[in-house]
């Protein structure tokens, strides 16, 4: 892959404490930028902008090395503590209940990107303080910019969030958060309303029900991959975004990204999310092979195809 296809992501790198009906894991390697970059690294060159504390060990770093993720813009704060999130899921695995969020080193983070990072043609603002997302957005002359967010910021930093949404091409968001952001219960109307806030497209992630894609004059939807066992949904949204953006970056479009590419990107997003939820953390993606991605992509084509 050349610099023409490179993808930059800013977001959280975290230690998560996760409780699902099937098990508990403490200090699980996570964070939106980590899940995103592992997923996107199957498609293109990825660089991560984030901050960690000195509790982030050499062993933890291994995940970036394995996937050849560029960490030149991953800052370590001596004496600082890595971001921590604790969450719980009931039998409805579509809804995460946040038990605790500790920003730690993110509270003071002021990213200054390297010259190479500022030239990235593709940029993803993964979930983190919206002001921080915008600070990175302003430093990069990207061709295509997408972002994610969550209820924590919709409720706690709404004005800053609206300013960030106004300067991206695409918003990826889950259904409950789309309703909350738009203050509208009907999802179609919520999506239409968000499209007036700035982005040209929005992807609404709906957990086990799939994903819907909206532009001002178009609509596309896919079911999720029919999995019988979902183990840990943490990172599903970020690995979806990694597949979506990774595929778009690999396509390297210089003009407007065409509708066929965007639809395939939604499917690759769904493929990557389906692998991520099969095991804790990014354990499944760390063992994943390119052929497995292609195989699931083909299966998506088969089970969504019908004759008229
Ligand atoms: P998701 O893909 O939506 O399941 O994202 C899960 C990841 O988001 C976890 O690994 C968390 O570390 C991270 N996360 C949770 N809350 C926040 C937050 N407020 N800001 C940034 N990242 C978060």
């Amino acid at each position: 892959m050349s610099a023409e296809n490179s993808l930059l992501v800013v977001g959280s790198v975290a230690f998560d404490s996760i409780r699902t009906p099937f098990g508990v894991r403490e200090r699980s390697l996570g964070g939106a930028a980590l899940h995103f970059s592992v997923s996107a690294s199957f498609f293109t060159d990825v660089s991560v902008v984030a901050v960690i504390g000195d509790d982030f060990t050499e062993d933890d770093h291994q995940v970036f090395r394995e996937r050849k993720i560029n960490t030149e813009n991953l800052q370590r704060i001596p004496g600082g503590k890595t971001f921590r999130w604790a969450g719980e899921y009931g039998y409805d695995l579509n809804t995460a209940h946040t038990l605790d969020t500790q920003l730690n080193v993110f509270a003071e983070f002021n990213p200054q990107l390297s010259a190479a990072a500022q030239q990235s043609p593709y940029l993803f603002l993964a979930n983190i303080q919206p002001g921080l997302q915008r600070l990175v957005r302003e430093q990069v002359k990207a061709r295509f910019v997408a972002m994610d967010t969550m209820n924590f910021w919709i409720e706690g930093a709404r004005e800053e969030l609206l300013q960030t949404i106004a300067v991206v091409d695409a918003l990826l968001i889950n259904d409950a958060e789309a309703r909350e952001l738009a203050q509208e219960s009907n999802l179609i109307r919520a999506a239409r309303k968000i499209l007036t806030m700035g982005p040209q497209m929005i992807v609404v992630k709906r957990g086990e029900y799939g994903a819907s894609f909206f532009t001002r004059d178009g609509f596309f939807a896919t079911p999720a991959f029919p999995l019988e066992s979902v183990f840990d949904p943490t990172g599903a949204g970020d690995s979806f975004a990694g597949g979506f953006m990774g595929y778009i970056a690999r396509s390297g479009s210089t003009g407007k990204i065409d509708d066929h590419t965007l639809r395939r990107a939604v499917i690759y997003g769904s493929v990557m999310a389906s692998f991520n939820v099969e095991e804790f953390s990014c354990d499944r993606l760390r063992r994943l092979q390119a052929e497995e991605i292609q195989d699931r992509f083909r299966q998506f084509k088969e089970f969504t195809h019908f004759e008229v």
Side-chain angles (χ1 to χ4, degrees), residues 109-130:
F109 186 43
N110 181 11
Q112 299 300 324
L113 304 192
S114 67
Q118 291 178 16
Q119 299 301 319
S120 294
Y122 300 92
L123 172 64
F124 188 69
L125 311 174
N127 187 21
I128 198 60
Q129 289 104 319

Side-chain angles (χ1 to χ4, degrees), residues 3-41:
E4 278 295 282
N5 306 87
S6 66
L7 172 57
L8 186 74
V9 55
V10 59
S12 53
V13 169
F15 293 133
D16 293 339
S17 297
I18 296 163
R19 189 178 294 268
T20 78
F22 320 109
V24 175
R25 198 193 259 193
E26 293 299 329
R27 203 189 180 279
S28 183
L29 207 49
L34 187 129
H35 285 292
F36 176 93
S37 53
V38 171
S39 169
S41 68

Side-chain angles (χ1 to χ4, degrees), residues 86-100:
E88 183 175 38
Y89 303 83
Y91 279 95
D92 172 6
L93 292 168
N94 290 335
T95 314
H97 303 283
T98 295
L99 303 174
D100 189 27

Side-chain angles (χ1 to χ4, degrees), residues 196-209:
T196 66
M197 298 175 181
Q200 300 151 32
M201 60 190 85
I202 146 164
V203 180
V204 180
K205 300 165 288 176
R206 305 177 57 230
E208 67 184 306
Y209 306 113

Side-chain angles (χ1 to χ4, degrees), residues 12 14 16 30-32 35 83 85 101 127-128 150 152-153 233-238:
S12 53
D16 293 339
H35 285 292
F83 178 96
W85 177 73
T101 304
N127 187 21
I128 198 60
M150 72 181 293
F152 190 82
W153 307 114
T234 311
D238 311 308

